[in-house]
Structures are given as C-alpha cells and as structure tokens.
Amino acid sequence: MSTLDHLTRLIHDKFGVDTAAIDADAPFASYDLDSLTVAELMFEIDDAFHVTVPDEAATSVKTLRELATLIDGLSAKA
Amino acid sequence: MPAATRIGVAGIGVTSPLGDTLDGNWQRLVAGHGAVARLACQGLPDIAAAQVTEDVSQVLTRLQQVGTERVSQMALGAVRKALGDAGIGAWPDPERVGLYLGTGMGGAATMDAGFAALYGGGRLPPLTVPAGMVNGAAAVVAIHADIRGPVLTYAVACASGSVALAEAAHALRRGEIDIAICGGVEAPLARGTIAAWQALRTLAPPDEADAARSCRPFAANRAGLVLGEGAAFFVLRREADLPAAPRAWLSGSAVRCDALHLTNPQVRGQVSTLKAALNASGLTPPDIGYCNAHGTATVAGDPVECEALREVWGEHAARLRVSSTKAAHGHLLGAGGALEAALTVMALQSGVLPATLGVDALDARCAGLAHVLGEAQRAPGLRHAISNSFAFGGTNAVLVFSRA
C-alpha cells in the first residue's frame, strides 16, 4: 500500500471521512479536517509510520500528497 | 429583587446513571431502584460508583469528536434533550441565548490520560488542552447548538450546577438574554480522579452485601459519598416568553459562602443561604413541602445540613419532608445540583416525593425532620420545594421551585 493510500485509510478509520471525499491535492479543510484534526492526524502518523513528524508540519503541510511526500522522506532517512 | 419576573422551566434533559430520559430517571427513582454498583479500577481498591450506560459519544460524528471527551459529549446530549423537551430547535437571534454550565472538574479524564501517558514515558496527545479545559464542554455545546450569547462555565465544586441555574435565572431577569440553557455536567470516573477522591478518604466502599446500598445519606452507618457521572440541563425562560405552561417555576435562589474551611461544611453559611433563598422567593419555611437535600452521606456533612434545616425551619422542621436522591444516582459533583433540581421539579409535577434509599437506622444527629425513607411518599398538596447544594470550598446554593 502506498503512503498516500495508507493515509487515506487512516483518515477514514480515525475520523469517519468518506475516502471518496479525500482529494490528495486539495487542502485538508476541503474534506472538513480543521487545524485541530490535522494536529491529531500528525500525532497518529508518528505511531502508524514509525517516524517523528516535525511540529511545524502541522501548519506547513497543506495537502495529503505533501504529507505523504514528507513521510516518505522521513522514512528514507530513518 | 426585581419585581415579579417569573422564570419558568421550559424544558429539562438528563443523561444520568438512572437513565437517558427524565421520565425514566423519575420512574426508576420512585421505584427505589438505585444505580450505584461496584466499579473495578486498575491498581486501586474497588469503589462504589454510579455510571451512565448510554453511549454518549453518539451525539457527535467521529470527525466532530476530535477535541471533545466524555464530559462535553454528555453535556451536549443533555442539552439537546432539554431543547427537545422545550420544543426549541433554533432561534432567530443566537446572541440572545446564553449557556450557563456548571462542572467541578471539566475534562478530568483527558488530563488524567494525558499525564499518565507523559509520566509513563509516552507522548501527550495534542488536543489535551482543548478537550481537558474546564470550559471545553461549554464550548462544544455552544458550537453545536449555536449559542452566541454569554457562554459561561461555573466551577464551584458540588454547587456548580445549582449556581449555573441561579445565575441563568438572574441573567433572564436582568434582560441580558431571552433563552437560558443551564445545568451541570461531570465525568469524574477516571483512574487518577478516583484515586484523588480515595486519597481524601471521603468515598464509601462498595457495600459487600449489596453494592447498590453503598451510599446511605443520613444513616447511622453511612460510610461516605459515592461518585456518579452525568449531565442535567434546563431551558429557562421569562414568563412572558413561555410558549406553553412550564414544568415549574424557579421561584428564587441564593448563593453564599461559608468562608471558613476548604472541605468542612458549616451550619452558619447553610442557614444564611437557606434564609436568603426563601427571602428571594417570597416564601417562608412552612411554605416548603419538600427539600431535596445535599445529603452526600459523608460522616461530617449530613448532620450539619440537618442542623441548618432545623435551625431555619424551627417549629416547622418536623414537618419538612427531606430526602437525598444521591443514594440512588450517586454524587454527580458539578452536575449534582442540576440533576437534583430536575428531580425536585418532577416531585412538584407528580406530587410524589422520592425516598432516601438504603437507610435502616437514621443517625440521631439527622433527626427532627420528616425524612422520606424506604418508599416514595405521595404529597398531592406540594406547592414549593427546595434543592440544596453545599460545596467543597464553602459555596452554598439553594434553589426554590414552585408548582406551575
């Protein structure tokens, strides 16, 4: 499973968001993930992907594809 | 007091250990079926506690649940029930609607879980502050019910819910708002919070023969309070704005402080609060047909409350019918006063007085009042009733309700 697919599944499972509504290139807010929800998502990602997402990612990362790229980069360094 | 603006109880909603509807709570209470049971808690001695069994998270979608916790979910559920009972779904001017929410400990379970994770070497969840903050529940209710007037949280320990009702009625009388949503909520059954209450040595152990009888207010063999959880909310309106007959009138209230001790209740402050509440209602002791007592079943508290009632009621004390419904639903702390106010309204509406459960022999220091023991009593002539809340910190609140 690609990182993007894994993230999509995580958002669906944790927040009940319909996977069809998740556009990887659209802002998180377009499928109702507000800043608090993104913070919660980042927290989950650390455990799910065995990485440490930097704190600033919660504000600098705007889309799911950007997040997947960040995670892949962190995993490659690990 | 401003001249005669009567405040009516337009609706009530409860989420309590006695059930998820007000009628269900009342029927169970009057039938004498309490909700106290044994509760195991990891690493601690078992306690007696009264839990809500309804799945309170269902009031929000999983996405909406982000940043919320049990206390905010219970509050929102009970508020929605109260609005339904009042027949209100929306309002033309949300800034004329106020929320007055009492809670002693707010999001205690969130703080508990966060610190447990941190001290265990783990990470603290990012939403610990918004979910755990004491006004978190009020904020969640305001967001989902569109309340844009005053949204206030009263943290007055065991008097929080009663104080919230009293303050809401004042705001209506002052004309600050047109609709008041007010009550209390508490979700204290988390490991660290339970341990803290145990450390204070105020909790009754589970009764070995019958855990449901662990809380025995006014009894010679009472052994302490029993924690409960839940929420109770009222919709209050001025008489002129009521679309239909209210359930009852909130005739008056008073809030005073002992200013003497952090935890020990004092007769002086309770007497002054009782007198002030009667005065605010334009009533005298013989007018009051029922007292829903604070009655926590602590060794120290019950005799003080009974002494205060005897002092204020004087020659009429022996005819004042008194019970503590905490024996059935436990001590809901910041929600206690609101739930007990709801049950006091039901007593007025039904003309039936719930009994204090679990009392075999009354403590002599609690005598001199017409305690309702054993079974519920009929009181068809009941016109006025009071509900007492006497808190840690010394704040006392008394609410006076009258039959509509």
Side-chain angles (χ1 to χ4, degrees):
Chain A
M1 189 190 296
S2 72
T3 302
L4 195 56
D5 288 343
H6 192 164
L7 284 169
T8 303
R9 176 57 51 189
L10 185 66
I11 290 169
H12 171 76
D13 290 348
K14 179 145 182 74
F15 305 120
V17 176
D18 184 356
T19 54
I22 299 173
D23 178 347
D25 297 305
F28 292 117
S30 72
Y31 42 98
D32 296 331
L33 265 56
D34 67 6
S35 59
L36 294 184
T37 314
V38 171
E40 189 89 344
L41 176 65
M42 298 296 184
F43 185 76
E44 295 292 323
I45 284 168
D46 284 11
D47 286 340
F49 292 89
H50 308 292
V51 295
T52 302
V53 176
D55 287 350
E56 58 270 23
T59 48
S60 63
V61 173
K62 304 292 186 195
T63 71
L64 207 58
R65 194 177 304 282
E66 288 173 25
L67 184 57
T69 302
L70 174 69
I71 291 168
D72 286 340
L74 291 169
S75 299
K77 281 187 211 164
Chain B
M1 181 181 161
T5 301
R6 288 209 292 181
I7 304 299
V9 177
I12 298 175
V14 299
T15 295
S16 116
L18 291 172
D20 57 5
T21 67
L22 181 58
D23 284 345
N25 270 249
W26 182 248
Q27 286 160 17
R28 185 169 170 179
L29 177 66
V30 168
H33 297 147
V36 174
R38 178 182 285 267
L39 177 65
C41 190
Q42 185 195 349
L44 301 172
D46 286 1
I47 63 166
Q51 291 180 280
V52 166
T53 56
E54 171 185 351
D55 181 359
V56 298
S57 71
Q58 293 299 307
V59 298
L60 295 168
T61 67
R62 271 188 289 160
L63 190 57
Q64 291 170 331
Q65 286 172 26
V66 172
T68 76
E69 67 125 80
R70 188 167 180 79
V71 77
S72 35
Q73 294 161 6
M74 287 199 297
L76 179 60
V79 164
R80 284 185 175 154
K81 292 173 197 175
L83 292 171
D85 188 45
I88 304 175
W91 22 73
D93 187 353
E95 293 188 14
R96 297 290 299 169
V97 184
L99 176 65
Y100 304 79
L101 183 148
T103 186
M105 311 188 79
T110 293
M111 304 310 289
D112 199 70
F115 294 146
L118 179 69
Y119 300 154
R123 297 177 305 146
L124 203 131
L127 303 189
T128 301
V129 168
M133 63 190 185
V134 75
N135 65 328
V140 169
V141 172
I143 290 165
H144 293 282
D146 194 25
I147 301 167
R148 297 185 232 166
V151 172
L152 302 172
T153 297
Y154 297 86
V156 200
C158 314
S160 304
S162 294
V163 169
L165 262 71
E167 292 290 302
H170 289 320
L172 283 167
R173 289 191 190 97
R174 289 193 298 261
E176 292 171 7
I177 50 168
D178 297 326
I179 299 171
I181 298 161
C182 49
V185 63
E186 204 76 74
L189 300 178
R191 189 178 171 204
T193 306
I194 290 169
W197 280 95
Q198 280 183 328
L200 193 60
R201 306 188 195 291
T202 52
L203 296 188
D207 187 84
E208 290 300 330
D210 181 1
R213 292 166 61 95
S214 301
C215 179
R216 299 180 292 271
F218 311 121
N221 67 346
R222 68 189 178 282
L225 66 85
V226 165
L227 291 174
E229 62 172 354
F233 280 85
F234 283 55
V235 177
L236 300 181
R237 306 200 70 175
R238 286 183 294 268
E239 181 173 18
D241 297 333
L242 285 166
R247 284 183 173 272
W249 303 106
L250 176 48
S251 299
S253 63
V255 179
R256 297 286 188 274
C257 187
D258 292 340
L260 284 169
H261 196 273
L262 278 173
T263 56
N264 284 349
Q266 306 287 333
V267 172
R268 181 186 78 182
Q270 296 184 11
V271 164
S272 81
T273 315
L274 288 160
K275 286 181 174 174
L278 291 174
N279 188 48
S281 314
L283 297 170
T284 60
D287 295 325
I288 305 299
Y290 170 62
C291 168
N292 185 302
H294 188 56
T296 58
T298 58
V299 172
D302 293 1
V304 170
E305 181 172 18
C306 292
E307 186 179 340
L309 290 169
R310 285 194 303 265
E311 183 172 330
V312 175
W313 263 255
E315 62 181 305
H316 307 286
R319 288 192 297 279
L320 177 63
R321 284 164 296 192
V322 176
S323 67
S324 168
T325 52
K326 285 187 177 75
H329 53 63
H331 192 347
L332 274 63
L333 306 178
L339 177 61
E340 291 152 28
L343 298 171
T344 303
V345 167
M346 289 302 284
L348 285 163
Q349 285 192 269
S350 65
V352 172
L353 308 180
T356 305
L357 306 180
V359 180
D360 290 327
L362 199 69
D363 182 344
R365 292 177 297 164
C366 297
L369 302 161
H371 282 280
V372 183
L373 302 174
E375 293 186 355
Q377 287 180 10
R378 294 203 61 79
L382 182 66
R383 294 188 57 211
H384 308 284
I386 64 171
S387 180
N388 292 345
S389 298
F390 302 140
F392 276 5
T395 294
N396 305 303
V398 175
L399 304 172
V400 183
F401 291 95
S402 300
R403 192 169 68 191

